[in-house]
Amino acid sequence: MRFATRDNGTADGELLLVASDGSSALPLGPRWPSLLHAITQWPELMWDAASVAEKVARGEGEPLDPASLRAPLPRTWQWLDGSAFPQHGELMQKAFHLPPMETDKPLMYQGLSHQFLSGHADVPVPTEDDCIDFEGEFAVVTDDVPMGCTASEALGHIKLVLLLNDWSLRAVAPAEMKTGFGWIQAKPACSVAPFALTPDELGDAWRDGRVCLPLRVEVNGAWFGHPNGEAMAYGFHELIAHASRTRALCAGTIVGSGTVSNTNYDMVGSTCISERRAIEMIATGEASTGFLRFGDRVRMIAQSDTVLFGAIDQQVCASSSGQTAE
């Protein structure tokens, strides 16, 4: 099934069941006002959603305007972002002469979760001097995960799959990294593609807790990369097991894959500017690709024969004084 959230003036929006081609949808009704509410009662939601899905399949859905859609979860309780593609880390270490990570565990940080941007909204940033970058990722949404959950058990707790852009401010990041306390200013709100999918909607592309599809990125209409999500060193189930080792995860937790990156980057490109700049530095001694400027447009889509997550298609803009979260 495909779910979306339509703007209705509330903080969490209105939950919709979306047709397989993404062209129409129906509300789930007053019992299921939002996805944040529904994720806590997943079996009951799926029971009710089945009848709504039948109506949509019969052509009874309302026409769907992508511009009216917010992130599937405009806000949630927790956002945990991994770094599960080792090639990305190896390139950064080589380009910047960093020591290798001395760990056999997944890398993960806890980020901003009270706001996720629509995949079609402008992206406000204070200044171009912050070195604006994008990071194409896949992510999953869990139900309640108990502390000590194993990787095999965690597969059953993955209820939805997302496509997202983890915006990054590269000029701000180094100072925050040196503190050892994690990100605050370097990681503004992520953007999320309009449709949240149950894993079965991916068919054969959902394997071993991974989204085995190319993530295509374009900047101002020009190809930037299309690496495949299959190359995760740790599947989402293993990331969830890592995160839940010493604490339970509440329903609605989003877990990200980190920047999608492949070893054959010379053929498939990258999903973030920083990685392309690292490749240039390794090859020539200096980076030639610039960071984003106001007015630049970034588009991301999972390449498939069918409509899956929909597109993230956004323009970067200057933030206004006193701007608040959606």
Side-chain angles (χ1 to χ4, degrees), residues 116-150:
F116 289 88
L117 300 176
S118 158
H120 293 274
D122 286 348
V123 182
V125 180
T127 172
E128 293 175 342
D129 294 339
D130 284 342
C131 296
I132 307 162
D133 198 358
F134 50 83
E135 293 189 45
E137 304 191 19
F138 294 108
V140 298
V141 185
T142 74
D143 63 3
D144 287 309
V145 179
M147 182 170 62
C149 180
T150 66

Side-chain angles (χ1 to χ4, degrees), residues 8 68 94 108 116 127 170 194 216 229 239 255 270 312 320:
N8 66 351
S68 71
K94 186 174 182 180
M108 185 175 287
F116 289 88
T127 172
R170 300 300 186 185
R216 182 179 178 87
L239 295 178
V255 179
S270 302
I312 297 174
S320 59

Side-chain angles (χ1 to χ4, degrees), residues 33-196:
S34 71
L35 185 54
L36 186 60
H37 169 79
I39 196 74
T40 65
Q41 304 173 64
W42 192 256
E44 294 85 353
L45 168 70
M46 296 304 288
W47 178 268
D48 288 354
S51 61
V52 178
E54 290 177 0
K55 293 179 181 179
V56 173
R58 292 197 299 265
E60 299 178 24
E62 306 166 1
L64 190 61
D65 177 12
S68 71
L69 298 179
R70 302 176 64 183
L73 282 167
R75 60 177 181 172
T76 194
W77 306 114
Q78 185 164 226
W79 156 235
L80 302 174
D81 196 15
S83 183
F85 292 89
Q87 183 59 49
H88 177 70
E90 290 170 12
L91 286 169
M92 304 306 287
Q93 289 166 12
K94 186 174 182 180
F96 294 101
H97 308 290
L98 301 172
M101 291 285 185
E102 300 286 342
T103 181
D104 59 354
K105 295 179 173 59
L107 302 177
M108 185 175 287
Y109 75 91
Q110 184 164 308
L112 182 160
S113 64
H114 69 267
Q115 179 191 24
F116 289 88
L117 300 176
S118 158
H120 293 274
D122 286 348
V123 182
V125 180
T127 172
E128 293 175 342
D129 294 339
D130 284 342
C131 296
I132 307 162
D133 198 358
F134 50 83
E135 293 189 45
E137 304 191 19
F138 294 108
V140 298
V141 185
T142 74
D143 63 3
D144 287 309
V145 179
M147 182 170 62
C149 180
T150 66
S152 59
E153 293 168 341
L155 276 173
H157 290 285
I158 297 172
K159 300 307 177 187
L160 294 168
V161 188
L162 307 173
L163 168 64
L164 62 82
N165 183 352
D166 177 31
W167 292 99
S168 296
L169 304 177
R170 300 300 186 185
V172 181
E176 289 197 310
M177 290 176 67
K178 290 178 182 178
T179 69
F181 271 72
W183 313 110
I184 294 294
Q185 295 179 348
K187 290 288 186 177
C190 298
S191 302
V192 187
F195 306 139

